[in-house]
Amino acid sequence: MRLGGLALLLQALLSSGLPALGFPAAGQGPGFDGAARWGREMQAEFGSSLKLARKLLVETKILTQQFVSERLAGAKLPFPGLSNSGLLPPTSRTAQQWLALPALRRLREMRRALGLFRGYVEVVGRREPGLARGLHEISLDLRDLMHHVDYQVGGSGQPAPQPPGPPGAPRILQHPSDWSNLQESYLVLRAMETFLGRVVRDFTLLRVGGGWAPH
């Protein structure tokens, strides 16, 4: 999104009040006189999540570039296939359509996607020893960001997402062809990079909105 478009979107969201972001306005969140304090806490939460999301995005960019240079040198990128397979979180919405959704819904969808990508990262790490250490760090950061999102959803007054139970093995990297598995590994990394860019943009907006901070 161009800078001017982002500025206009921020202005529209902030001028319409926090309910447009999907969180209660002052007096609709936790009781007592603690609403303002809780708002500041949520603002700090969104700031911490933004910092972690930016770290994840940088880590993913670096590892993707490393993977391409070491394993896919000379290949014509990108590859078709996995993005239309239903294995990755849907990315068909434009940035404007995504940000038009209530923040609570975005956080819930973000939480599900984070868990999915964490499972994929662990599979790719087992198959690509050269990336294993970096992907392990990314997996830990994804786990931490998931904890932040759980807390934020709980802070909205809604129940935090329930763990889905023991996950099944991610259905990736099961091709008989090593080349197909390499393509799929690349597509997972690129999809995660795109997704994390959206997460960074989300938390930038949420931090500026201030959670439950009164208007």
Side-chain angles (χ1 to χ4, degrees):
M1 184 187 295
R2 293 180 179 176
L3 183 59
L6 180 58
L8 289 173
L9 181 59
L10 275 168
Q11 183 179 5
L13 287 171
L14 295 175
S15 64
S16 61
L18 286 172
L21 289 174
F23 287 88
Q28 297 177 343
F32 321 78
D33 299 325
R37 183 178 66 252
W38 186 251
R40 291 191 295 271
E41 181 178 340
M42 290 301 290
Q43 190 172 19
E45 256 292 312
F46 292 138
S48 297
S49 296
L50 175 59
K51 182 178 179 180
L52 185 53
R54 284 173 171 163
K55 178 175 181 283
L56 274 162
L57 180 56
V58 170
E59 291 171 335
T60 303
K61 283 178 178 291
I62 291 172
L63 274 185
T64 302
Q65 292 168 1
Q66 177 186 339
F67 182 74
V68 170
S69 65
E70 293 179 357
R71 305 284 277 149
L72 298 172
K76 184 178 180 180
L77 306 175
F79 303 111
L82 186 63
S83 57
N84 299 319
S85 68
L87 296 177
L88 295 174
T91 56
S92 58
R93 294 190 188 99
T94 65
Q96 290 89 345
Q97 289 170 335
W98 173 254
L99 291 172
L101 298 174
L104 183 58
R105 179 175 172 184
R106 299 201 313 271
L107 286 171
R108 288 185 178 278
E109 291 193 20
M110 183 191 301
R111 172 60 171 78
R112 287 193 290 269
L114 288 168
L116 185 63
F117 277 119
R118 190 182 181 210
Y120 287 168
V121 159
E122 292 175 352
V123 173
V124 175
R126 289 194 293 270
R127 189 173 185 88
E128 297 293 332
L131 303 181
R133 182 174 179 179
L135 288 173
H136 178 68
E137 291 298 320
I138 287 176
S139 176
L140 295 178
D141 286 341
L142 288 170
R143 178 203 62 190
D144 292 345
L145 189 55
M146 288 161 60
H147 290 325
H148 279 285
V149 175
D150 285 345
Y151 180 78
Q152 291 153 12
V153 171
S156 71
Q158 301 296 320
Q162 294 298 313
R171 295 178 293 115
I172 62 169
L173 308 188
Q174 298 180 0
H175 304 285
S177 163
D178 287 341
W179 177 240
S180 296
N181 288 321
L182 282 174
Q183 294 180 61
E184 202 162 83
S185 296
Y186 168 77
L187 288 168
V188 167
L189 293 173
R190 281 293 291 127
M192 186 166 65
E193 183 180 329
T194 300
F195 166 73
L196 289 170
R198 179 169 286 181
V199 171
V200 167
R201 187 165 53 241
D202 253 327
F203 281 121
T204 298
L205 290 170
L206 289 168
R207 184 185 63 168
V208 174
W212 275 326
H215 279 265

